[in-house]
Amino acid sequence: MLLAGIKEAIVNSCDNIIQWEKKVVAFGADGASVNLGKKGRVAALMRKEIPYLVDFHCLPHRLELALFKMQKSCKSVQELYEVMNLVWKTYHYSAKSSRELKALASELGVDAVKPTQVSGTRWLPHVSRALKVFIKSGDAKKSEESTGQYALVLCDDLILPVAVSQLKETVAAITCLKSRHVPNGYLEKFLKVSSKSSNKDTKLFQGIKLEGSLEGKVKRIGSGPSFNSEVNKAVDLCLDGLKERFGQLMDSPDSSDSHSPYGPQNVIQDFLVFNVDSWPHKDAELIDFGNDNIERLINWFEPALRTAGCEVDDILPQWQSMKITFNSQFHDKDYNSLWKMFLSKEPYKSDLKDILHLVEILLVLPISAAGCERMVSSQNRIKSSLRASLKTSSLEGLIRISAQGPSLEEFDPLPSVNRWFARDRSKGERQRRPNFSR
């Protein structure tokens, strides 16, 4: 009943789209078994009607699960989470503590940055934001950038090749932590200062007096060899989690097992052939590159491609033209500008119109459900106890405005105000404010 209910809700939400079942190519969700489980899942029910459907496990959910094992298995990391959560509780639930924090910051002439919650939230940027409160001043108030290692969570228009490239960069950066710390970073500065301190002198670190000696307390505070071993353990656990959750995505498109049956995971891996960073620079090597992957994608999506008016037989020749065009003219372009140019400018959108059908499928793959999670948070914020009688249509409109609408600085309220004051005489509407003049 639950599976049928979820499927029915999905179908009902698409009623206003003409022939929606012929336009759906992918299904994205979190890792709940009811959505993406191996047996009797929602994706399996939908694939009975749409055999070429690709089910995709949300990348931000996978990222959080990849590091969850490290948090639970590494004692030092777990203790850090507990301390940060205790500090947050101290200032979140105690108005007296918050008031004293602000008074102390005022006395010192600095900005008071209130600790943020590190537990109870799914997304890793929340952990980063909580950490920045302790190691930076002022910058912790700023929101995370929508690029870099947190783009998977914060950027709603991320495409698959970009996400995979950033995952590989993240793995490389984490691997480097085993051999060295961040050059001239906070940890390195602290270790230099602490190694010079003794009982007779006092050192300063970020304006804080470090008194006493670390002798006999190396293992306790995490300096020296024992600390390095904890760092290496955390790094190994983190890398194991990332490779377990993203190993297939980070493998080369030609490394899949040829003996296993072709399925949605193989489709996703074949789409990585559109990662232009991995294309050979020599024309001789570029000629045969990715041909097998494109053929498999054509066979998988053939019904959808033919329904969309695509000439399937012309895709491979256009694939060759696309590779040569990029290799000779557009090495300096990033993913977004490259596909935008191919899809919108002549002569490319006409000469490559059939292969661009596969590019369009790549661009709409639902690799992240973070936007949906944010909409749920918006619903909880909008439909409060004081607004519990909102109609479903009004609530949906407010949620979409909150998630996808313009910012307050860009929004012009005048047209909306004029429409609210206006009345439709044909519907017999009365004037809302008959005695009010603007």
Side-chain angles (χ1 to χ4, degrees):
M1 289 296 294
L2 177 61
L3 293 175
I6 295 175
K7 180 175 179 277
E8 183 180 357
I10 295 173
V11 172
N12 292 338
S13 66
C14 299
D15 280 344
N16 58 341
I17 303 175
I18 301 175
Q19 294 184 333
W20 67 271
E21 65 278 358
K22 295 183 179 180
K23 300 177 181 179
V24 173
V25 292
F27 171 76
D30 59 13
S33 58
V34 70
N35 293 322
L36 301 176
K38 293 183 178 180
K39 294 182 179 180
R41 60 196 189 274
V42 175
L45 288 179
M46 296 185 66
R47 195 173 288 117
K48 291 180 180 179
E49 301 177 7
I50 310 171
Y52 49 83
L53 186 76
V54 177
D55 54 319
F56 201 93
H57 187 179
C58 170
L59 290 185
H61 284 82
R62 273 199 262 184
L63 184 62
E64 193 268 344
L65 291 172
L67 300 186
F68 184 74
K69 180 180 179 181
M70 184 264 290
Q71 176 191 344
K72 293 297 183 182
S73 303
C74 187
K75 185 178 179 181
S76 297
V77 175
Q78 190 173 5
E79 288 178 351
L80 176 62
Y81 270 74
E82 291 173 355
V83 169
M84 293 174 63
N85 194 44
L86 179 61
V87 173
W88 169 75
K89 283 184 176 180
T90 300
Y91 293 100
H92 181 74
Y93 292 106
S94 174
K96 180 175 180 290
S97 298
S98 298
R99 184 171 62 253
E100 291 176 348
L101 176 65
K102 293 179 181 179
L104 180 60
S106 178
E107 288 290 331
L108 296 174
V110 297
D111 293 332
V113 182
K114 191 174 180 181
T116 60
Q117 187 177 11
V118 70
S119 62
T121 54
R122 181 183 298 275
W123 309 122
L124 294 179
H126 296 172
V127 180
S128 175
R129 192 178 302 118
L131 283 168
K132 283 186 176 182
V133 172
F134 293 91
I135 62 177
K136 289 188 178 182
S137 59
D139 292 343
K141 292 181 179 180
K142 298 179 181 178
S143 60
E144 299 286 351
E145 295 291 336
S146 59
T147 57
Q149 59 182 327
Y150 296 127
L152 286 179
V153 183
L154 300 170
C155 189
D156 289 330
D157 58 352
L158 199 66
I159 62 175
L160 185 63
V162 179
V164 173
S165 296
Q166 291 174 347
L167 280 170
K168 291 180 178 179
E169 292 175 4
T170 301
V171 170
I174 294 174
T175 305
C176 291
L177 291 176
K178 292 188 67 174
S179 57
R180 61 177 176 82
H181 306 301
V182 178
N184 201 31
Y186 292 97
L187 178 59
E188 183 176 326
K189 291 178 182 177
F190 176 76
L191 293 177
K192 285 181 179 178
V193 172
S194 60
S195 63
K196 297 177 182 178
S197 64
S198 64
N199 289 323
K200 296 183 179 180
D201 61 358
T202 301
K203 299 295 183 181
L204 290 177
F205 178 72
Q206 292 189 343
I208 300 174
K209 291 182 180 181
L210 302 179
E211 299 179 350
S213 173
L214 299 178
E215 186 177 356
K217 302 178 182 179
V218 172
K219 293 184 179 180
R220 180 68 177 175
I221 67 170
S223 178
S226 63
F227 178 74
N228 289 332
S229 64
E230 287 294 308
V231 170
N232 292 339
K233 179 181 178 181
V235 169
D236 289 336
L237 289 170
C238 185
L239 292 175
D240 290 343
L242 289 172
K243 290 176 182 178
E244 179 184 354
R245 298 286 175 175
F246 300 102
Q248 190 173 20
L249 277 179
M250 292 188 288
D251 291 337
S252 62
D254 295 321
S255 62
S256 57
D257 186 3
S258 59
H259 300 289
S260 60
Y262 193 76
Q265 296 304 316
N266 305 100
V267 173
I268 293 171
Q269 195 172 23
D270 281 334
F271 266 122
L272 297 180
V273 77
F274 287 101
N275 182 355
V276 294
D277 291 338
S278 65
W279 290 6
H281 296 292
K282 297 180 180 179
D283 291 340
E285 299 175 357
L286 194 62
I287 292 176
D288 296 327
F289 175 78
N291 291 351
D292 294 338
N293 306 90
I294 296 298
E295 286 183 357
R296 290 195 291 266
L297 290 174
I298 293 172
N299 294 333
W300 181 267
F301 289 108
E302 185 173 357
L305 294 172
R306 293 191 181 280
T307 301
C310 173
E311 296 293 337
V312 176
D313 296 335
D314 294 337
I315 292 180
L316 274 176
Q318 292 177 17
W319 167 244
Q320 302 290 353
S321 301
M322 175 185 285
K323 291 186 292 184
I324 295 172
T325 301
F326 170 80
N327 206 34
S328 59
Q329 302 179 37
F330 303 118
H331 268 299
D332 58 331
K333 290 190 174 293
D334 57 18
Y335 292 99
N336 292 333
S337 58
L338 176 68
W339 300 129
K340 182 178 180 180
M341 181 193 65
F342 278 157
L343 288 165
S344 61
K345 292 187 177 181
E346 294 287 358
Y348 311 111
K349 71 175 185 178
S350 298
D351 295 343
L352 306 174
K353 61 182 179 67
D354 298 306
I355 184 63
L356 288 177
H357 281 283
L358 288 178
V359 174
E360 289 177 350
I361 294 175
L362 167 68
L363 295 178
V364 300
L365 283 179
I367 68 173
S368 172
C372 299
E373 297 277 356
R374 282 192 284 271
M375 285 189 178
V376 173
S377 299
S378 298
Q379 172 184 287
N380 296 336
R381 186 172 61 252
I382 292 169
K383 192 171 183 179
S384 61
S385 58
L386 299 177
R387 308 180 73 186
S389 60
L390 280 172
K391 293 181 179 179
T392 303
S393 57
S394 301
L395 178 61
E396 182 179 351
L398 291 172
I399 292 173
R400 291 191 179 277
I401 291 172
S402 175
Q404 303 171 354
S407 62
L408 290 176
E409 293 78 9
E410 300 173 349
F411 177 65
D412 180 14
L414 192 58
S416 300
V417 172
N418 291 335
R419 182 175 179 181
W420 190 83
F421 274 110
R423 60 172 176 169
D424 189 346
R425 294 179 181 274
S426 63
K427 295 181 180 180
E429 293 181 352
R430 63 180 179 82
Q431 191 171 348
R432 294 183 183 273
R433 295 291 184 273
N435 301 320
F436 178 80
S437 60
R438 289 181 290 120

